[in-house]
Amino acid sequence: MLTAILLTNNVISPHQHGFLSKKSTTTQLLECSYDWCVALTSGLNVDVAYLDYAKAFDSVVHSKLLAKLSHYGASGSVLKWIEKFLINRCQCVRVRNVLFTYADVVSGVGSVLGPVLFIVFIDDMCRPNCIPGSTVLKLFADDAKLFTLSCQR
């Protein structure tokens, strides 16, 4: 439901395939393969770079995510609820019956809302003003395929 609203309001790019209904690693691969086949058939070069963010979900800065959500129109009780979900959390590790010391969580998006909050956080890198010319970026959560099509020399 939430992701449908985000897609309808163009908060999430159609190039994002992670954690969305009727989208998957397969749909991302099919779109890329189609684009590459059309380009190669037309005599173009295809250059691809694969990107994967290390500990991506853990590195989301809360203040930047909240600012981005506000920019996209989240406000009032919804924004306050997400802020309370993110801010002043702590966690610890438990191994069998041993509970280790609690530590403050200063970044990251958690496990319940995490996937949706993360794709909102990184989605603006898919926007046309962030990617030059004929370069395309296809995402599945934190995994990205960045490719460009160019004339053969």
Side-chain angles (χ1 to χ4, degrees), residues 8-133:
T8 302
N9 292 300
N10 293 320
V11 173
I12 297 176
S13 164
H15 294 296
Q16 175 61 260
H17 292 257
F19 311 112
L20 300 172
S21 178
K22 299 181 183 171
K23 298 250 185 159
S24 65
T25 54
T26 303
T27 59
Q28 182 206 48
L29 180 61
L30 287 170
E31 284 184 14
C32 290
S33 297
Y34 176 80
D35 291 346
W36 300 342
C37 286
V38 169
L40 292 170
T41 302
S42 301
L44 299 175
N45 287 331
V46 179
D47 298 308
V48 183
Y50 291 87
L51 309 170
D52 186 7
Y53 299 98
K55 298 187 180 196
F57 284 58
D58 298 335
S59 61
V60 173
V61 178
H62 295 153
S63 59
K64 290 180 181 180
L65 173 60
L66 292 168
K68 192 170 284 194
L69 288 168
S70 177
H71 171 77
Y72 285 139
S75 62
S77 59
V78 170
L79 191 60
K80 279 288 183 199
W81 183 81
I82 293 172
E83 181 179 10
K84 292 211 180 284
F85 173 77
L86 294 173
I87 306 296
N88 295 324
R89 292 184 311 145
C90 60
Q91 65 185 19
C92 72
V93 174
R94 177 180 170 193
V95 179
R96 295 202 172 120
N97 292 329
V98 178
L99 200 61
F100 291 83
T101 306
Y102 279 85
D104 291 332
V105 177
V106 295
S107 65
V109 287
S111 61
V112 177
L113 290 176
V116 173
L117 293 176
F118 180 78
I119 61 176
V120 168
F121 186 71
I122 67 161
D123 190 73
D124 55 353
M125 68 186 211
C126 285
R127 301 299 170 182
N129 59 342
C130 293
I131 301 173

